[in-house]
mmCIF file of all heavy atoms in Angstrom:
data_model
loop_
_atom_site.group_PDB
_atom_site.id
_atom_site.type_symbol
_atom_site.label_atom_id
_atom_site.label_comp_id
_atom_site.label_asym_id
_atom_site.label_seq_id
_atom_site.Cartn_x
_atom_site.Cartn_y
_atom_site.Cartn_z
ATOM 1 N N LEU A 1385 118.509 98.801 91.733
ATOM 2 C CA LEU A 1385 118.386 97.607 92.605
ATOM 3 C C LEU A 1385 117.358 96.594 92.103
ATOM 4 O O LEU A 1385 117.307 95.481 92.596
ATOM 5 C CB LEU A 1385 117.983 98.048 94.011
ATOM 6 C CG LEU A 1385 119.116 98.712 94.864
ATOM 7 C CD1 LEU A 1385 118.569 99.222 96.178
ATOM 8 C CD2 LEU A 1385 120.260 97.728 95.105
ATOM 9 N N PHE A 1386 116.485 97.006 91.154
ATOM 10 C CA PHE A 1386 115.394 96.127 90.772
ATOM 11 C C PHE A 1386 115.366 95.858 89.246
ATOM 12 O O PHE A 1386 115.692 96.794 88.476
ATOM 13 C CB PHE A 1386 114.063 96.799 91.201
ATOM 14 C CG PHE A 1386 113.957 96.944 92.693
ATOM 15 C CD1 PHE A 1386 114.279 98.169 93.296
ATOM 16 C CD2 PHE A 1386 113.562 95.903 93.502
ATOM 17 C CE1 PHE A 1386 114.202 98.362 94.690
ATOM 18 C CE2 PHE A 1386 113.449 96.061 94.889
ATOM 19 C CZ PHE A 1386 113.816 97.268 95.462
ATOM 20 N N PRO A 1387 114.960 94.688 88.825
ATOM 21 C CA PRO A 1387 115.014 94.343 87.398
ATOM 22 C C PRO A 1387 114.069 95.161 86.528
ATOM 23 O O PRO A 1387 114.369 95.441 85.390
ATOM 24 C CB PRO A 1387 114.661 92.859 87.372
ATOM 25 C CG PRO A 1387 113.973 92.587 88.678
ATOM 26 C CD PRO A 1387 114.545 93.556 89.663
ATOM 27 N N LYS A 1388 112.869 95.496 87.081
ATOM 28 C CA LYS A 1388 111.917 96.257 86.233
ATOM 29 C C LYS A 1388 111.291 97.353 87.072
ATOM 30 O O LYS A 1388 110.673 97.114 88.098
ATOM 31 C CB LYS A 1388 110.846 95.356 85.669
ATOM 32 C CG LYS A 1388 109.904 96.104 84.711
ATOM 33 C CD LYS A 1388 109.007 95.183 83.905
ATOM 34 C CE LYS A 1388 108.176 95.942 82.901
ATOM 35 N NZ LYS A 1388 107.291 95.087 82.128
ATOM 36 N N THR A 1389 111.472 98.599 86.634
ATOM 37 C CA THR A 1389 110.901 99.741 87.312
ATOM 38 C C THR A 1389 110.416 100.756 86.249
ATOM 39 O O THR A 1389 110.710 100.655 85.095
ATOM 40 C CB THR A 1389 111.957 100.434 88.192
ATOM 41 O OG1 THR A 1389 112.991 100.941 87.358
ATOM 42 C CG2 THR A 1389 112.531 99.496 89.257
ATOM 43 N N PHE A 1390 109.668 101.770 86.715
ATOM 44 C CA PHE A 1390 109.387 102.904 85.874
ATOM 45 C C PHE A 1390 109.433 104.172 86.759
ATOM 46 O O PHE A 1390 109.130 104.145 87.914
ATOM 47 C CB PHE A 1390 108.040 102.767 85.165
ATOM 48 C CG PHE A 1390 106.845 102.640 86.101
ATOM 49 C CD1 PHE A 1390 106.159 103.787 86.521
ATOM 50 C CD2 PHE A 1390 106.400 101.385 86.496
ATOM 51 C CE1 PHE A 1390 105.059 103.663 87.361
ATOM 52 C CE2 PHE A 1390 105.300 101.295 87.323
ATOM 53 C CZ PHE A 1390 104.622 102.409 87.757
ATOM 54 N N TYR A 1391 109.822 105.242 86.138
ATOM 55 C CA TYR A 1391 110.025 106.499 86.861
ATOM 56 C C TYR A 1391 109.554 107.647 85.974
ATOM 57 O O TYR A 1391 110.256 108.013 85.024
ATOM 58 C CB TYR A 1391 111.512 106.637 87.186
ATOM 59 C CG TYR A 1391 111.889 107.899 88.003
ATOM 60 C CD1 TYR A 1391 111.082 108.401 88.998
ATOM 61 C CD2 TYR A 1391 113.073 108.555 87.718
ATOM 62 C CE1 TYR A 1391 111.431 109.521 89.722
ATOM 63 C CE2 TYR A 1391 113.460 109.676 88.425
ATOM 64 C CZ TYR A 1391 112.630 110.163 89.434
ATOM 65 O OH TYR A 1391 112.982 111.298 90.148
ATOM 66 N N GLU A 1392 108.320 108.090 86.203
ATOM 67 C CA GLU A 1392 107.725 109.052 85.262
ATOM 68 C C GLU A 1392 107.221 110.315 85.979
ATOM 69 O O GLU A 1392 106.246 110.943 85.574
ATOM 70 C CB GLU A 1392 106.531 108.399 84.559
ATOM 71 C CG GLU A 1392 106.929 107.154 83.777
ATOM 72 C CD GLU A 1392 105.727 106.381 83.274
ATOM 73 O OE1 GLU A 1392 104.622 106.663 83.751
ATOM 74 O OE2 GLU A 1392 105.937 105.476 82.423
ATOM 75 N N ASN A 1393 107.818 110.675 87.100
ATOM 76 C CA ASN A 1393 107.344 111.845 87.825
ATOM 77 C C ASN A 1393 108.547 112.653 88.334
ATOM 78 O O ASN A 1393 109.699 112.225 88.209
ATOM 79 C CB ASN A 1393 106.484 111.408 88.993
ATOM 80 C CG ASN A 1393 107.261 110.542 89.982
ATOM 81 O OD1 ASN A 1393 107.867 111.057 90.920
ATOM 82 N ND2 ASN A 1393 107.297 109.233 89.741
ATOM 83 N N GLU A 1394 108.244 113.789 88.880
ATOM 84 C CA GLU A 1394 109.288 114.690 89.357
ATOM 85 C C GLU A 1394 109.420 114.665 90.885
ATOM 86 O O GLU A 1394 110.119 115.480 91.435
ATOM 87 C CB GLU A 1394 109.029 116.123 88.864
ATOM 88 C CG GLU A 1394 107.665 116.645 89.269
ATOM 89 C CD GLU A 1394 107.295 117.916 88.540
ATOM 90 O OE1 GLU A 1394 107.931 118.950 88.857
ATOM 91 O OE2 GLU A 1394 106.381 117.878 87.675
ATOM 92 N N TYR A 1395 108.743 113.741 91.544
ATOM 93 C CA TYR A 1395 108.748 113.693 92.984
ATOM 94 C C TYR A 1395 109.518 112.497 93.577
ATOM 95 O O TYR A 1395 109.410 112.232 94.771
ATOM 96 C CB TYR A 1395 107.326 113.717 93.531
ATOM 97 C CG TYR A 1395 106.535 114.900 92.975
ATOM 98 C CD1 TYR A 1395 105.543 114.731 92.028
ATOM 99 C CD2 TYR A 1395 106.869 116.188 93.359
ATOM 100 C CE1 TYR A 1395 104.869 115.809 91.499
ATOM 101 C CE2 TYR A 1395 106.224 117.282 92.841
ATOM 102 C CZ TYR A 1395 105.215 117.102 91.894
ATOM 103 O OH TYR A 1395 104.559 118.164 91.363
ATOM 104 N N GLY A 1396 110.246 111.814 92.713
ATOM 105 C CA GLY A 1396 111.124 110.764 93.195
ATOM 106 C C GLY A 1396 110.490 109.390 93.264
ATOM 107 O O GLY A 1396 111.204 108.413 93.590
ATOM 108 N N THR A 1397 109.214 109.265 93.015
ATOM 109 C CA THR A 1397 108.557 107.935 93.182
ATOM 110 C C THR A 1397 108.908 106.993 92.054
ATOM 111 O O THR A 1397 108.663 107.282 90.842
ATOM 112 C CB THR A 1397 107.008 108.139 93.228
ATOM 113 O OG1 THR A 1397 106.698 108.963 94.339
ATOM 114 C CG2 THR A 1397 106.341 106.772 93.424
ATOM 115 N N VAL A 1398 109.463 105.841 92.427
ATOM 116 C CA VAL A 1398 109.821 104.819 91.476
ATOM 117 C C VAL A 1398 108.859 103.639 91.617
ATOM 118 O O VAL A 1398 108.600 103.164 92.725
ATOM 119 C CB VAL A 1398 111.279 104.311 91.706
ATOM 120 C CG1 VAL A 1398 111.600 103.132 90.781
ATOM 121 C CG2 VAL A 1398 112.250 105.441 91.558
ATOM 122 N N GLY A 1399 108.256 103.200 90.528
ATOM 123 C CA GLY A 1399 107.342 102.039 90.574
ATOM 124 C C GLY A 1399 108.177 100.771 90.356
ATOM 125 O O GLY A 1399 108.786 100.584 89.308
ATOM 126 N N VAL A 1400 108.168 99.910 91.369
ATOM 127 C CA VAL A 1400 108.853 98.619 91.253
ATOM 128 C C VAL A 1400 107.835 97.603 90.792
ATOM 129 O O VAL A 1400 106.789 97.414 91.460
ATOM 130 C CB VAL A 1400 109.483 98.202 92.604
ATOM 131 C CG1 VAL A 1400 110.083 96.810 92.489
ATOM 132 C CG2 VAL A 1400 110.565 99.196 93.039
ATOM 133 N N VAL A 1401 108.097 96.970 89.673
ATOM 134 C CA VAL A 1401 107.116 96.052 89.049
ATOM 135 C C VAL A 1401 107.402 94.619 89.444
ATOM 136 O O VAL A 1401 108.512 94.128 89.251
ATOM 137 C CB VAL A 1401 107.125 96.196 87.513
ATOM 138 C CG1 VAL A 1401 106.082 95.276 86.900
ATOM 139 C CG2 VAL A 1401 106.878 97.665 87.117
ATOM 140 N N ASN A 1402 106.385 93.961 90.019
ATOM 141 C CA ASN A 1402 106.440 92.552 90.337
ATOM 142 C C ASN A 1402 105.714 91.824 89.213
ATOM 143 O O ASN A 1402 104.489 91.602 89.277
ATOM 144 C CB ASN A 1402 105.829 92.243 91.671
ATOM 145 C CG ASN A 1402 106.576 92.905 92.799
ATOM 146 O OD1 ASN A 1402 107.793 92.760 92.934
ATOM 147 N ND2 ASN A 1402 105.848 93.612 93.681
ATOM 148 N N GLU A 1403 106.399 91.430 88.166
ATOM 149 C CA GLU A 1403 105.760 90.875 86.952
ATOM 150 C C GLU A 1403 104.982 89.615 87.181
ATOM 151 O O GLU A 1403 103.987 89.364 86.527
ATOM 152 C CB GLU A 1403 106.803 90.661 85.839
ATOM 153 C CG GLU A 1403 107.366 91.942 85.283
ATOM 154 C CD GLU A 1403 108.235 91.695 84.070
ATOM 155 O OE1 GLU A 1403 109.365 91.221 84.231
ATOM 156 O OE2 GLU A 1403 107.760 91.998 82.956
ATOM 157 N N ASP A 1404 105.460 88.755 88.090
ATOM 158 C CA ASP A 1404 104.812 87.458 88.284
ATOM 159 C C ASP A 1404 103.663 87.510 89.295
ATOM 160 O O ASP A 1404 103.011 86.486 89.565
ATOM 161 C CB ASP A 1404 105.868 86.404 88.784
ATOM 162 C CG ASP A 1404 106.984 86.216 87.757
ATOM 163 O OD1 ASP A 1404 106.657 86.336 86.556
ATOM 164 O OD2 ASP A 1404 108.087 85.889 88.146
ATOM 165 N N GLU A 1405 103.412 88.702 89.836
ATOM 166 C CA GLU A 1405 102.399 88.816 90.862
ATOM 167 C C GLU A 1405 100.988 88.878 90.260
ATOM 168 O O GLU A 1405 100.746 89.656 89.326
ATOM 169 C CB GLU A 1405 102.643 90.088 91.704
ATOM 170 C CG GLU A 1405 101.704 90.282 92.855
ATOM 171 C CD GLU A 1405 101.712 89.111 93.838
ATOM 172 O OE1 GLU A 1405 102.780 88.830 94.426
ATOM 173 O OE2 GLU A 1405 100.664 88.474 93.994
ATOM 174 N N VAL A 1406 100.076 88.046 90.754
ATOM 175 C CA VAL A 1406 98.717 88.010 90.259
ATOM 176 C C VAL A 1406 97.872 89.116 90.911
ATOM 177 O O VAL A 1406 97.020 89.732 90.232
ATOM 178 C CB VAL A 1406 98.053 86.633 90.535
ATOM 179 C CG1 VAL A 1406 96.602 86.626 90.080
ATOM 180 C CG2 VAL A 1406 98.832 85.529 89.851
ATOM 181 N N ASP A 1407 98.081 89.367 92.158
ATOM 182 C CA ASP A 1407 97.321 90.386 92.931
ATOM 183 C C ASP A 1407 97.690 91.783 92.407
ATOM 184 O O ASP A 1407 98.841 92.203 92.514
ATOM 185 C CB ASP A 1407 97.672 90.262 94.438
ATOM 186 C CG ASP A 1407 96.810 91.147 95.307
ATOM 187 O OD1 ASP A 1407 96.233 92.127 94.775
ATOM 188 O OD2 ASP A 1407 96.770 90.892 96.509
ATOM 189 N N GLU A 1408 96.649 92.467 91.827
ATOM 190 C CA GLU A 1408 96.879 93.778 91.254
ATOM 191 C C GLU A 1408 97.380 94.775 92.292
ATOM 192 O O GLU A 1408 98.129 95.726 91.939
ATOM 193 C CB GLU A 1408 95.616 94.306 90.584
ATOM 194 C CG GLU A 1408 95.258 93.547 89.327
ATOM 195 C CD GLU A 1408 96.279 93.707 88.230
ATOM 196 O OE1 GLU A 1408 96.850 94.777 88.073
ATOM 197 O OE2 GLU A 1408 96.489 92.720 87.492
ATOM 198 N N SER A 1409 97.025 94.648 93.554
ATOM 199 C CA SER A 1409 97.416 95.613 94.571
ATOM 200 C C SER A 1409 98.920 95.529 94.866
ATOM 201 O O SER A 1409 99.500 96.411 95.504
ATOM 202 C CB SER A 1409 96.628 95.392 95.864
ATOM 203 O OG SER A 1409 96.995 94.206 96.497
ATOM 204 N N ILE A 1410 99.574 94.410 94.445
ATOM 205 C CA ILE A 1410 100.979 94.197 94.767
ATOM 206 C C ILE A 1410 101.833 94.208 93.492
ATOM 207 O O ILE A 1410 103.018 94.216 93.558
ATOM 208 C CB ILE A 1410 101.155 92.839 95.486
ATOM 209 C CG1 ILE A 1410 100.197 92.731 96.666
ATOM 210 C CG2 ILE A 1410 102.579 92.661 96.012
ATOM 211 C CD1 ILE A 1410 100.112 91.339 97.267
ATOM 212 N N LYS A 1411 101.188 94.259 92.361
ATOM 213 C CA LYS A 1411 101.922 94.180 91.087
ATOM 214 C C LYS A 1411 102.936 95.340 90.988
ATOM 215 O O LYS A 1411 104.017 95.168 90.401
ATOM 216 C CB LYS A 1411 100.952 94.266 89.912
ATOM 217 C CG LYS A 1411 101.454 93.489 88.708
ATOM 218 C CD LYS A 1411 100.328 93.276 87.701
ATOM 219 C CE LYS A 1411 100.767 92.358 86.582
ATOM 220 N NZ LYS A 1411 101.064 90.989 87.024
ATOM 221 N N ILE A 1412 102.540 96.486 91.524
ATOM 222 C CA ILE A 1412 103.441 97.638 91.544
ATOM 223 C C ILE A 1412 103.588 98.145 92.962
ATOM 224 O O ILE A 1412 102.570 98.450 93.639
ATOM 225 C CB ILE A 1412 102.952 98.780 90.655
ATOM 226 C CG1 ILE A 1412 102.954 98.315 89.156
ATOM 227 C CG2 ILE A 1412 103.824 100.044 90.813
ATOM 228 C CD1 ILE A 1412 102.314 99.317 88.226
ATOM 229 N N VAL A 1413 104.788 98.229 93.466
ATOM 230 C CA VAL A 1413 105.081 98.801 94.798
ATOM 231 C C VAL A 1413 105.767 100.125 94.528
ATOM 232 O O VAL A 1413 106.823 100.157 93.890
ATOM 233 C CB VAL A 1413 105.936 97.851 95.665
ATOM 234 C CG1 VAL A 1413 106.275 98.534 96.976
ATOM 235 C CG2 VAL A 1413 105.189 96.567 95.911
ATOM 236 N N GLU A 1414 105.217 101.207 95.037
ATOM 237 C CA GLU A 1414 105.819 102.537 94.859
ATOM 238 C C GLU A 1414 106.869 102.808 95.926
ATOM 239 O O GLU A 1414 106.582 102.679 97.113
ATOM 240 C CB GLU A 1414 104.765 103.601 94.824
ATOM 241 C CG GLU A 1414 103.818 103.519 93.649
ATOM 242 C CD GLU A 1414 102.982 104.774 93.433
ATOM 243 O OE1 GLU A 1414 102.856 105.560 94.381
ATOM 244 O OE2 GLU A 1414 102.446 104.958 92.326
ATOM 245 N N VAL A 1415 108.062 103.165 95.488
ATOM 246 C CA VAL A 1415 109.153 103.467 96.393
ATOM 247 C C VAL A 1415 109.554 104.935 96.205
ATOM 248 O O VAL A 1415 109.906 105.333 95.087
ATOM 249 C CB VAL A 1415 110.365 102.539 96.125
ATOM 250 C CG1 VAL A 1415 111.453 102.808 97.146
ATOM 251 C CG2 VAL A 1415 109.917 101.054 96.187
ATOM 252 N N THR A 1416 109.500 105.704 97.279
ATOM 253 C CA THR A 1416 109.773 107.137 97.204
ATOM 254 C C THR A 1416 110.860 107.503 98.230
ATOM 255 O O THR A 1416 110.797 107.074 99.378
ATOM 256 C CB THR A 1416 108.521 107.963 97.558
ATOM 257 O OG1 THR A 1416 107.451 107.536 96.677
ATOM 258 C CG2 THR A 1416 108.744 109.431 97.374
ATOM 259 N N PRO A 1417 111.857 108.274 97.795
ATOM 260 C CA PRO A 1417 112.897 108.704 98.727
ATOM 261 C C PRO A 1417 112.292 109.619 99.797
ATOM 262 O O PRO A 1417 111.302 110.343 99.553
ATOM 263 C CB PRO A 1417 113.871 109.486 97.845
ATOM 264 C CG PRO A 1417 113.578 109.025 96.442
ATOM 265 C CD PRO A 1417 112.121 108.706 96.398
ATOM 266 N N TYR A 1418 112.938 109.637 100.975
ATOM 267 C CA TYR A 1418 112.593 110.660 101.971
ATOM 268 C C TYR A 1418 112.721 112.002 101.276
ATOM 269 O O TYR A 1418 113.663 112.239 100.509
ATOM 270 C CB TYR A 1418 113.562 110.659 103.155
ATOM 271 C CG TYR A 1418 113.704 109.355 103.927
ATOM 272 C CD1 TYR A 1418 114.890 109.061 104.602
ATOM 273 C CD2 TYR A 1418 112.667 108.448 103.994
ATOM 274 C CE1 TYR A 1418 115.041 107.907 105.299
ATOM 275 C CE2 TYR A 1418 112.807 107.255 104.707
ATOM 276 C CZ TYR A 1418 114.013 107.009 105.367
ATOM 277 O OH TYR A 1418 114.172 105.836 106.098
ATOM 278 N N ARG A 1419 111.817 112.908 101.572
ATOM 279 C CA ARG A 1419 111.911 114.210 100.899
ATOM 280 C C ARG A 1419 111.363 115.335 101.736
ATOM 281 O O ARG A 1419 110.505 115.142 102.600
ATOM 282 C CB ARG A 1419 111.266 114.189 99.509
ATOM 283 C CG ARG A 1419 109.743 114.190 99.534
ATOM 284 C CD ARG A 1419 109.191 114.088 98.152
ATOM 285 N NE ARG A 1419 107.806 114.452 98.090
ATOM 286 C CZ ARG A 1419 106.825 113.788 97.424
ATOM 287 N NH1 ARG A 1419 107.187 112.659 96.788
ATOM 288 N NH2 ARG A 1419 105.627 114.164 97.433
ATOM 289 N N THR A 1420 111.858 116.515 101.465
ATOM 290 C CA THR A 1420 111.281 117.757 101.985
ATOM 291 C C THR A 1420 110.768 118.490 100.731
ATOM 292 O O THR A 1420 111.168 118.214 99.611
ATOM 293 C CB THR A 1420 112.289 118.608 102.760
ATOM 294 O OG1 THR A 1420 113.404 118.866 101.930
ATOM 295 C CG2 THR A 1420 112.705 117.892 104.046
ATOM 296 N N GLU A 1421 109.904 119.493 100.960
ATOM 297 C CA GLU A 1421 109.248 120.132 99.849
ATOM 298 C C GLU A 1421 109.311 121.658 99.967
ATOM 299 O O GLU A 1421 109.362 122.179 101.099
ATOM 300 C CB GLU A 1421 107.800 119.707 99.755
ATOM 301 C CG GLU A 1421 107.646 118.217 99.535
ATOM 302 C CD GLU A 1421 106.219 117.704 99.693
ATOM 303 O OE1 GLU A 1421 105.430 118.376 100.409
ATOM 304 O OE2 GLU A 1421 105.900 116.653 99.147
ATOM 305 N N GLY A 1422 109.348 122.316 98.817
ATOM 306 C CA GLY A 1422 109.313 123.775 98.848
ATOM 307 C C GLY A 1422 107.933 124.317 98.986
ATOM 308 O O GLY A 1422 106.981 123.565 99.306
ATOM 309 N N ALA A 1423 107.733 125.575 98.740
ATOM 310 C CA ALA A 1423 106.391 126.219 98.879
ATOM 311 C C ALA A 1423 105.449 125.644 97.833
ATOM 312 O O ALA A 1423 105.846 125.176 96.773
ATOM 313 C CB ALA A 1423 106.528 127.720 98.697
ATOM 314 N N TYR A 1424 104.140 125.683 98.154
ATOM 315 C CA TYR A 1424 103.084 125.227 97.265
ATOM 316 C C TYR A 1424 102.363 126.477 96.682
ATOM 317 O O TYR A 1424 101.313 126.839 97.125
ATOM 318 C CB TYR A 1424 102.061 124.391 98.010
ATOM 319 C CG TYR A 1424 102.490 122.973 98.373
ATOM 320 C CD1 TYR A 1424 103.473 122.778 99.353
ATOM 321 C CD2 TYR A 1424 101.894 121.867 97.809
ATOM 322 C CE1 TYR A 1424 103.830 121.474 99.741
ATOM 323 C CE2 TYR A 1424 102.251 120.566 98.166
ATOM 324 C CZ TYR A 1424 103.228 120.380 99.114
ATOM 325 O OH TYR A 1424 103.595 119.118 99.490
ATOM 326 N N THR A 1425 102.976 127.081 95.691
ATOM 327 C CA THR A 1425 102.384 128.337 95.197
ATOM 328 C C THR A 1425 101.084 128.118 94.466
ATOM 329 O O THR A 1425 100.286 129.054 94.303
ATOM 330 C CB THR A 1425 103.390 129.079 94.264
ATOM 331 O OG1 THR A 1425 103.823 128.191 93.262
ATOM 332 C CG2 THR A 1425 104.590 129.578 95.094
ATOM 333 N N ASP A 1426 100.845 126.885 93.939
ATOM 334 C CA ASP A 1426 99.582 126.597 93.243
ATOM 335 C C ASP A 1426 98.602 125.863 94.130
ATOM 336 O O ASP A 1426 97.561 125.440 93.643
ATOM 337 C CB ASP A 1426 99.849 125.814 91.952
ATOM 338 C CG ASP A 1426 100.373 124.407 92.224
ATOM 339 O OD1 ASP A 1426 100.687 124.095 93.377
ATOM 340 O OD2 ASP A 1426 100.496 123.615 91.247
ATOM 341 N N ASN A 1427 98.930 125.748 95.411
ATOM 342 C CA ASN A 1427 98.031 125.068 96.393
ATOM 343 C C ASN A 1427 97.756 123.593 96.001
ATOM 344 O O ASN A 1427 96.760 123.031 96.375
ATOM 345 C CB ASN A 1427 96.708 125.803 96.577
ATOM 346 C CG ASN A 1427 96.888 127.203 97.028
ATOM 347 O OD1 ASN A 1427 96.654 128.153 96.259
ATOM 348 N ND2 ASN A 1427 97.385 127.404 98.247
ATOM 349 N N ARG A 1428 98.709 123.021 95.263
ATOM 350 C CA ARG A 1428 98.486 121.620 94.830
ATOM 351 C C ARG A 1428 99.765 120.837 94.837
ATOM 352 O O ARG A 1428 99.820 119.736 95.351
ATOM 353 C CB ARG A 1428 97.853 121.581 93.425
ATOM 354 C CG ARG A 1428 97.621 120.164 92.876
ATOM 355 C CD ARG A 1428 96.608 119.424 93.696
ATOM 356 N NE ARG A 1428 96.454 118.004 93.245
ATOM 357 C CZ ARG A 1428 97.020 116.989 93.859
ATOM 358 N NH1 ARG A 1428 97.817 117.173 94.920
ATOM 359 N NH2 ARG A 1428 96.824 115.741 93.449
ATOM 360 N N ARG A 1429 100.833 121.410 94.301
ATOM 361 C CA ARG A 1429 102.112 120.678 94.202
ATOM 362 C C ARG A 1429 103.262 121.593 94.724
ATOM 363 O O ARG A 1429 103.240 122.780 94.543
ATOM 364 C CB ARG A 1429 102.419 120.267 92.747
ATOM 365 C CG ARG A 1429 101.421 119.309 92.162
ATOM 366 C CD ARG A 1429 101.776 119.000 90.727
ATOM 367 N NE ARG A 1429 100.840 118.005 90.164
ATOM 368 C CZ ARG A 1429 99.685 118.322 89.629
ATOM 369 N NH1 ARG A 1429 99.309 119.586 89.592
ATOM 370 N NH2 ARG A 1429 98.891 117.398 89.114
ATOM 371 N N PRO A 1430 104.277 120.942 95.322
ATOM 372 C CA PRO A 1430 105.450 121.752 95.755
ATOM 373 C C PRO A 1430 106.224 122.290 94.591
ATOM 374 O O PRO A 1430 106.289 121.655 93.531
ATOM 375 C CB PRO A 1430 106.294 120.709 96.575
ATOM 376 C CG PRO A 1430 105.931 119.374 95.981
ATOM 377 C CD PRO A 1430 104.464 119.504 95.608
ATOM 378 N N ASP A 1431 106.788 123.491 94.746
ATOM 379 C CA ASP A 1431 107.576 124.101 93.679
ATOM 380 C C ASP A 1431 108.833 123.265 93.422
ATOM 381 O O ASP A 1431 109.357 123.256 92.285
ATOM 382 C CB ASP A 1431 107.936 125.522 94.050
ATOM 383 C CG ASP A 1431 106.727 126.402 94.143
ATOM 384 O OD1 ASP A 1431 105.674 126.033 93.629
ATOM 385 O OD2 ASP A 1431 106.816 127.477 94.766
ATOM 386 N N PHE A 1432 109.338 122.622 94.445
ATOM 387 C CA PHE A 1432 110.486 121.720 94.268
ATOM 388 C C PHE A 1432 110.511 120.702 95.411
ATOM 389 O O PHE A 1432 109.864 120.910 96.436
ATOM 390 C CB PHE A 1432 111.823 122.492 94.242
ATOM 391 C CG PHE A 1432 112.172 123.184 95.547
ATOM 392 C CD1 PHE A 1432 112.857 122.509 96.529
ATOM 393 C CD2 PHE A 1432 111.762 124.496 95.769
ATOM 394 C CE1 PHE A 1432 113.162 123.143 97.739
ATOM 395 C CE2 PHE A 1432 112.039 125.110 96.983
ATOM 396 C CZ PHE A 1432 112.761 124.424 97.956
#
Protein backbone atom coordinates (compact mmCIF):
# COMPACT_ATOMS: atom_id res chain seq x y z
CA LEU A 1 0.00 0.00 0.00
CA PHE A 2 2.95 2.38 0.46
CA PRO A 3 5.71 3.55 -1.92
CA LYS A 4 8.59 3.13 0.54
CA THR A 5 8.70 0.75 3.49
CA PHE A 6 11.12 -1.53 5.30
CA TYR A 7 10.42 -4.82 7.07
CA GLU A 8 13.31 -6.22 9.08
CA ASN A 9 11.74 -8.07 12.00
CA GLU A 10 9.79 -11.19 12.78
CA TYR A 11 6.93 -9.49 14.62
CA GLY A 12 5.10 -8.00 11.66
CA THR A 13 6.14 -4.36 12.13
CA VAL A 14 6.48 -2.48 8.84
CA GLY A 15 8.18 0.91 8.80
CA VAL A 16 6.36 3.31 6.48
CA VAL A 17 8.81 5.99 5.34
CA ASN A 18 7.64 9.58 4.80
CA GLU A 19 10.61 10.78 2.73
CA ASP A 20 9.55 14.43 2.48
CA GLU A 21 8.88 14.79 6.20
CA VAL A 22 11.27 17.10 8.09
CA ASP A 23 10.08 16.11 11.59
CA GLU A 24 12.15 13.08 12.61
CA SER A 25 9.33 11.77 14.86
CA ILE A 26 7.09 11.40 11.80
CA LYS A 27 9.64 10.36 9.18
CA ILE A 28 8.89 6.72 9.98
CA VAL A 29 5.47 5.49 11.11
CA GLU A 30 5.51 1.90 12.37
CA VAL A 31 2.54 -0.21 11.28
CA THR A 32 2.00 -3.55 13.02
CA PRO A 33 -0.72 -6.13 12.36
CA TYR A 34 -3.01 -7.16 15.21
CA ARG A 35 -1.30 -10.12 16.78
CA THR A 36 -1.38 -12.72 19.49
CA GLU A 37 1.79 -14.23 20.92
CA GLY A 38 3.08 -17.58 22.06
CA ALA A 39 4.92 -18.34 25.29
CA TYR A 40 7.92 -16.21 26.32
CA THR A 41 10.40 -18.93 27.20
CA ASP A 42 13.31 -16.45 27.32
CA ASN A 43 11.32 -13.86 29.34
CA ARG A 44 11.93 -11.33 26.58
CA ARG A 45 10.38 -12.31 23.24
CA PRO A 46 7.44 -14.51 22.22
CA ASP A 47 8.34 -17.87 20.72
CA PHE A 48 5.97 -17.07 17.85
